Amino acid sequence: MTNSFKFLDQDGSRIDLNAGKIVAIGRNYHAHIEELNNPVPDKPVIFMKPSTALRPLHEPVVIPTDRGAVHFEIELAVLIAEEISCVDEDAVADAIRGYALALDLTLRDVQEEVKNKGLPWEMAKSWDGSCPLGRVLPADTIDPANAELQLVINGEVRQQANTRMMIRGAISLISYISRYFTLEPGDLVLTGTPSGVGSLNAGDQLELSLDQHSESTQITTS
């Protein structure tokens, strides 16, 4: 099955990049680490999602009902447009196509089970549709080191943070990732979620914002 996902520019036009791998960072905000009772990592915690996890954020978000709680996690996503490998931070900016809002949807009960067994997270993180992604904003309109993220569900603010609160900033993370494997055009980097995560339910109305840009979606079930 070919993934039909297409990246959209701010004006809704298609971006000429095929969706690649999604490199995600866990435990990158202290308050989120504390709320899940996790240790503070001494190095970035990296896991992967395939391109089949991508779905347009403006369409209804479909969550499963037979795998326990599905948690929302708002994140700043970075779209890569140039191949980079083993680069320092000064070279990262030229490889970035833009920034977008993303949801890293997590099967929390499944994640707890695999974590307790010392197993990887992919069963909880990488299912089809687990990464709804918004429109890509031009790189020069967002400061990844000082951007405001907010998630409102049914009129209530559930997550809110500035990227200054990250343990490791987006540019530093991308440089670090590139030391271990090549990032290619169409790859995404998810930079971690702030505190406030919780369960989603059918019918929930979500409003997400990145600085002055906003996206909305609703939750439905499969």
Side-chain angles (χ1 to χ4, degrees), residues 13 63 109-110 126 181 183-184 201:
S13 59
I63 62 173
D109 295 332
V110 175
S126 303
F181 44 83
L183 290 169
E184 301 174 304
N201 299 287

Side-chain angles (χ1 to χ4, degrees), residues 29-36 70-74 103 108 150-153 156-161 165 192-200:
Y29 287 81
H30 281 292
H32 177 56
I33 293 171
E34 293 171 1
E35 73 178 344
L36 295 185
V70 181
H71 276 204
F72 54 82
E73 298 186 7
I74 190 174
L103 284 172
R108 192 67 74 197
Q150 181 174 270
L151 173 61
V152 176
I153 301 180
E156 177 186 356
V157 176
R158 301 295 298 274
Q159 290 188 276
Q160 188 170 30
M165 300 165 65
T193 194
S195 62
V197 301
S199 295
L200 289 169

Side-chain angles (χ1 to χ4, degrees), residues 16-144:
D16 189 21
L17 287 173
N18 293 324
K21 61 184 174 289
I22 304 163
V23 186
I25 303 298
R27 303 178 186 175
N28 199 29
Y29 287 81
H30 281 292
H32 177 56
I33 293 171
E34 293 171 1
E35 73 178 344
L36 295 185
N37 297 313
N38 289 319
V40 177
D42 58 357
K43 296 179 180 179
V45 175
I46 297 174
F47 61 95
M48 307 279 278
K49 289 176 179 270
S51 63
T52 48
L54 288 165
R55 295 290 188 275
L57 184 58
H58 64 271
E59 295 181 359
V61 172
V62 181
I63 62 173
T65 58
D66 58 352
R67 285 172 262 178
V70 181
H71 276 204
F72 54 82
E73 298 186 7
I74 190 174
E75 307 214 6
L76 174 70
V78 187
L79 177 59
I80 302 298
E82 301 289 341
E83 182 175 305
I84 50 175
S85 177
C86 297
V87 299
D88 59 26
E89 293 185 22
D90 291 339
V92 169
D94 290 340
I96 295 175
R97 172 62 174 78
Y99 300 93
L101 285 159
L103 284 172
D104 172 20
L105 299 181
T106 303
L107 301 174
R108 192 67 74 197
D109 295 332
V110 175
Q111 186 186 38
E112 288 302 311
E113 179 181 353
V114 295
K115 279 169 53 181
N116 290 338
K117 294 178 179 179
L119 299 174
W121 296 358
E122 274 71 16
M123 293 299 291
K125 290 281 193 177
S126 303
W127 39 282
D128 290 355
S130 62
C131 188
L133 186 80
R135 295 183 179 188
V136 179
L137 307 178
D140 61 1
T141 66
I142 299 293
D143 178 358

Side-chain angles (χ1 to χ4, degrees), residues 162-212:
N162 189 289
T163 55
R164 293 193 306 266
M165 300 165 65
M166 287 181 178
I167 296 173
R168 298 172 182 88
I171 302 301
S172 174
L173 288 171
I174 293 169
S175 173
Y176 180 87
I177 291 165
S178 79
R179 300 178 208 166
Y180 291 88
F181 44 83
T182 300
L183 290 169
E184 301 174 304
D187 286 351
L188 280 170
V189 176
L190 302 188
T191 56
T193 194
S195 62
V197 301
S199 295
L200 289 169
N201 299 287
D204 284 345
Q205 302 290 322
L206 278 60
E207 297 285 342
L208 303 87
S209 62
L210 169 58
D211 287 344
Q212 303 304 311

